[in-house]
């Protein structure tokens, strides 16, 4: 054996912890799946019969959870698909800055200032109007595969 020490530096991010494998045949409607590198909510699943030499195939139709684009994929049902780890967290809205970022209060009392206002016009006006009226607002933040976005709003009453 040699006395040399080997140092390995990892410069690539494989994204391994952002998803987990699941057999395509076990993924159901309203579940999540990665299609073309994007985290999607499954809105339709159909399974075709096996051919003469082949696998049964699953046809997935999913809606990207951040951009709301419709994506499709066909996978043999015995193969594994990537399923994103999707987390939903509620934060209290503290402030909205002029440049479109929001300031949120986390569970442990610190602030989170790296989120933009949502691109959905309906939700955006609800947040801005509610904040302007001085209401206490709680926003739901969906996070998956290193992306985060505000996707829902709750009004918990007027500020004291």
């Amino acid at each position: 054996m040699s006395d040399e020490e080997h140092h390995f530096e990892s410069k690539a991010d494989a994204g391994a912890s952002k998803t987990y494998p699941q057999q395509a045949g076990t993924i159901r409607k309203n579940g999540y799946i990665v299609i073309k590198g994007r985290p999607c909510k499954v809105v339709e699943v159909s399974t075709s019969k096996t051919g003469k030499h082949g696998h049964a195939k699953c046809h997935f139709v999913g809606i990207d959870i951040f951009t709301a684009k419709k994506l499709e994929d066909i996978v043999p049902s015995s193969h594994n698909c990537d399923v994103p780890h999707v987390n939903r967290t509620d934060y209290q809205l503290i402030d909205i800055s002029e440049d479109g970022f929001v300031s949120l209060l986390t569970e442990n009392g610190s602030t989170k200032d790296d989120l933009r206002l949502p691109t959905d016009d309906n939700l955006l006006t609800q947040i801005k109007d509610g904040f302007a009226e001085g209401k206490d607002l709680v926003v739901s933040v969906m996070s998956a595969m290193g992306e985060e976005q505000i996707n829902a709003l709750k009004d918990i009453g007027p500020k004291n």
Side-chain angles (χ1 to χ4, degrees):
M1 298 290 168
S2 71
D3 293 333
E4 294 177 36
E5 284 188 35
H6 295 285
H7 295 287
F8 296 103
E9 287 185 36
S10 174
K11 289 186 170 55
D13 177 24
S17 63
K18 296 174 184 170
T19 62
Y20 61 92
Q22 186 175 341
Q23 192 172 336
T26 63
I27 296 173
R28 298 281 169 249
K29 190 176 174 181
N30 293 330
Y32 294 99
I33 187 173
V34 177
I35 300 177
K36 295 180 182 121
R38 301 291 304 156
C40 298
K41 186 177 180 101
V42 179
V43 291
E44 191 182 318
V45 181
S46 55
T47 308
S48 64
K49 296 254 189 321
T50 54
K52 191 172 179 183
H53 305 289
H55 298 277
K57 295 216 172 27
C58 293
H59 176 241
F60 295 104
V61 178
I63 305 279
D64 188 313
I65 59 177
F66 297 120
T67 64
K69 284 196 177 109
K70 189 176 188 179
L71 296 166
E72 295 185 45
D73 202 5
I74 297 175
V75 186
S77 63
S78 57
H79 288 203
N80 281 348
C81 291
D82 284 335
V83 177
H85 289 286
V86 179
N87 292 319
R88 189 185 212 130
T89 321
D90 287 350
Y91 298 107
Q92 188 167 344
L93 181 65
I94 303 172
D95 193 21
I96 299 175
S97 63
E98 283 88 40
D99 58 359
F101 283 88
V102 292
S103 186
L104 305 171
L105 185 66
T106 61
E107 294 281 314
N108 61 11
S110 61
T111 59
K112 179 175 179 55
D113 301 311
D114 57 351
L115 272 176
R116 286 190 156 280
L117 281 164
T119 50
D120 177 32
D121 291 333
N122 187 18
L123 188 59
L124 182 66
T125 52
Q126 283 182 327
I127 291 172
K128 283 187 169 175
D129 292 350
F131 186 74
E133 290 167 23
K135 291 180 180 169
D136 255 347
L137 300 176
V138 172
V139 293
S140 284
V141 175
M142 187 92 102
S143 63
M145 296 176 68
E147 285 186 64
E148 289 184 308
Q149 186 175 312
I150 296 171
N151 69 338
L153 173 72
K154 289 182 215 149
D155 182 2
I156 56 171
K159 285 187 179 168
N160 296 349

